[in-house]
Amino acid sequence: MKTRPFIFFPVAAALAGSLVADESAPGAQAPGATAPPAATSPPETRERRFIEITPNDQIPTVRAITPIDASNVFFLNHRGQVGVAKFSPGLSQIGWEFYSEVKLNALPSLALGPGYSVLAASPFELTQGFDTDRDVELDFFQALVREWTDRDLGVFITAGPVADPHGRVLFALSPHALKAGDAPKARLMAWIPSTGTLEPVTESELPIEGFALRRDGLLAARLSMPDYTDGFFLSLTELPAPASDQPAAAPVPMPFTLPSLIIPAELTQRDRPVQPAFFEEDGIDKLLLVCPVSRHLVEIVPQKAGGLWQGAILLRGLAPKPVHTVAEVAPGSLLGGGDEGFVPLADDPTVHRITRLALSAEGIALTFSQPVDRYEAVKPENYSIKAIALGGGESVVAIQPLVESDGRNLMLRGTLPGPGSVLRVACQNVPSETGGKPLSASVFYTLHAR
């Protein structure tokens, strides 16, 4: 590999209008001051020392990724150190270096701040790191939040930080009571830089292990329920705008976060999925969760029906290496990370798998990545459809399969179950037209409303 002396790393100056500014930077805002409008000048360009990647070089461990642009990311390693990495188009890694030698007791999440700052959280503190002398190394750290109700009684941060579109920093406290005498609940809290205050944005009966936020405010949170061994709970909740942005006459009440979807343990090989991440594919907003041990990549397509969130849950693929985190660095471009460095997670069109499950008045619509064996696909006995009631019990759904002309789309005609069930669709003998077995014979749909 040809040696290059520098990585060129552009960071948008527009970041200076959000979160907390670097006090040492010219024109920066002090904590608690009102941030100015975002800058409109061209992005500032900085030079980073280059570390050449060769087969013998040490590779970074990765526990969290936050994109800066389509080519550069900050990452957190297993020791709590922050690094920076650069990629060429297609997510081929060019190089990396540590942005901080300081080791934090950090949760597996990072948020991007202005002035080359990075926000991280430990169980006991929300922290911001600065590059005060502009040598592209973090050299100053300050605590943004370290006080909340019942901190001395064991209430601590369990997930975050994540920056939201309103300039707030979100993190989860579990279990947490807003005031003395309240029943302890897990709560997602928002720290507001302009005032330095905390406000709750949602609460949950179950602790929050990890969460992601869609650009329109849809929250996806992994809820902890270790006694339930048949699956894993995911909540989908629409977060309202900050109270200061709502009409005084009709403020939106704080939502309560409930389990929306059950990710069956069958789909993960009983490996606990971590680090949800939203991404866009073919104009559809999806959610991806990674399973570090089984290497399963679980894809969810959230859908809203009757005021409730539900959706399909399927196996998207197997990561080539174990991954602990994933982030969308550009539309449709997913980057994972684990003990063996960064892992691009491109969809493999050669894998025979179910790519879509949708419900219609006729029955169940399936889409495969490859044309199916039509002779086998039209046999009802090659399918097993069950409706598993959320309250217990199950029933069999009779279907009549129909293969459309392209060979990839199937309609399983039948009477669907009512709300309050998990639909399990198993295609135990539906190979591709070349004889390939499906990546996973089963897909699921959590059904709350029709």
Side-chain angles (χ1 to χ4, degrees):
M1 177 185 294
K2 183 178 179 181
T3 301
R4 296 172 57 192
F6 294 104
I7 292 178
F8 292 97
F9 178 31
V11 175
L15 289 173
S18 62
L19 303 180
V20 178
D22 179 351
E23 292 180 270
S24 68
Q29 298 293 310
T34 302
T40 57
S41 57
E44 182 181 357
T45 300
R46 307 290 292 179
E47 293 182 344
R48 294 190 175 279
R49 291 188 299 277
F50 179 79
I51 295 179
E52 184 179 7
I53 301 298
T54 69
N56 295 324
D57 280 343
Q58 179 185 0
I59 59 174
T61 59
V62 182
R63 290 295 181 270
I65 300 170
T66 185
I68 301 163
D69 53 32
S71 303
N72 303 276
V73 303
F74 286 131
F75 69 92
L76 183 77
N77 74 356
H78 71 291
R79 293 188 178 93
Q81 296 165 293
V82 178
V84 64
K86 184 175 179 64
F87 300 86
S88 65
L91 295 182
S92 176
Q93 188 177 348
I94 295 176
W96 68 276
E97 66 170 330
F98 282 129
Y99 193 42
S100 168
E101 294 293 338
V102 175
K103 299 176 182 179
L104 304 171
N105 181 24
L107 299 171
S109 183
L110 290 175
L112 185 64
Y116 300 99
S117 67
V118 177
L119 296 107
S122 73
F124 309 106
E125 181 180 291
L126 176 65
T127 308
Q128 184 177 31
F130 293 102
D131 172 16
T132 60
D133 55 9
R134 300 304 178 99
D135 65 349
V136 200
E137 291 183 3
L138 296 180
D139 50 38
F140 176 75
F141 293 83
Q142 71 171 3
L144 300 180
V145 181
R146 59 170 48 169
E147 298 295 335
W148 50 80
T149 304
D150 290 344
R151 185 184 189 276
D152 57 335
L153 299 179
V155 176
F156 54 88
I157 301 175
T158 58
V162 172
D164 80 353
H166 306 285
R168 302 177 298 179
V169 182
L170 307 183
F171 60 90
L173 293 177
S174 302
H176 176 247
L178 286 179
K179 58 184 178 181
D182 282 356
K185 292 183 175 65
R187 284 187 172 88
L188 198 68
M189 307 295 292
W191 180 73
I192 306 170
S194 60
T195 62
T197 58
L198 286 175
E199 67 177 19
V201 294
T202 184
E203 60 183 15
S204 168
E205 296 286 355
L206 300 175
I208 299 172
E209 293 186 339
F211 66 94
L213 193 65
R214 204 167 68 179
R215 56 188 174 275
D216 61 356
L218 178 62
L219 170 74
R222 267 280 296 114
L223 303 181
S224 174
M225 192 172 180
D227 294 337
Y228 183 72
T229 59
D230 292 333
F232 308 93
F233 289 165
L234 182 81
S235 71
L236 296 169
T237 310
E238 294 174 273
L239 299 184
S244 58
D245 294 346
Q246 298 180 26
V252 178
M254 183 177 67
F256 193 86
T257 296
L258 296 170
S260 304
L261 305 177
I262 296 176
I263 304 170
E266 171 189 344
L267 206 60
T268 70
Q269 292 188 345
R270 300 198 172 274
D271 185 17
R272 183 175 64 91
V274 298
Q275 295 288 59
F278 281 104
F279 70 103
E280 183 179 339
E281 186 173 59
D282 299 327
I284 300 173
D285 287 317
K286 300 180 179 181
L287 190 68
L288 188 71
L289 293 95
V290 298
C291 301
V293 177
S294 66
R295 297 190 290 116
H296 283 203
L297 305 175
V298 178
E299 179 183 305
I300 296 174
V301 184
Q303 294 179 321
K304 190 175 182 181
L308 300 172
W309 285 92
Q310 55 190 31
I313 307 170
L314 50 88
L315 184 62
R316 180 180 177 88
L318 299 178
K321 300 175 182 178
V323 294
H324 292 266
T325 185
V326 63
E328 184 183 40
V329 297
S333 183
L334 295 169
L335 179 65
D339 289 342
E340 300 182 54
F342 294 98
V343 185
L345 298 177
D347 191 24
D348 186 353
T350 67
V351 174
H352 180 48
R353 70 178 184 94
I354 301 171
T355 61
R356 174 177 168 267
L357 184 159
L359 307 183
S360 71
E362 294 183 79
I364 302 167
L366 295 178
T367 301
F368 285 79
S369 59
Q370 298 178 345
V372 298
D373 181 329
R374 290 168 171 80
Y375 178 78
E376 297 294 341
V378 295
K379 298 178 179 179
E381 61 268 25
N382 287 339
Y383 302 85
S384 176
I385 317 296
K386 291 183 178 180
I388 306 166
L390 296 176
E394 62 180 48
S395 59
V396 176
V397 179
I399 55 96
Q400 180 61 49
L402 173 67
V403 182
E404 297 187 10
S405 58
D406 62 1
R408 296 175 57 249
N409 289 282
L410 285 70
M411 176 59 68
L412 308 183
R413 292 179 172 172
T415 302
L416 296 180
S421 59
V422 174
L423 195 64
R424 179 182 182 270
V425 180
C427 309
Q428 58 263 28
N429 189 23
V430 184
S432 70
E433 61 182 6
T434 58
K437 292 184 178 180
L439 176 67
S440 172
S442 300
V443 290
F444 299 82
Y445 195 103
T446 301
L447 178 63
H448 294 298
R450 291 293 307 278

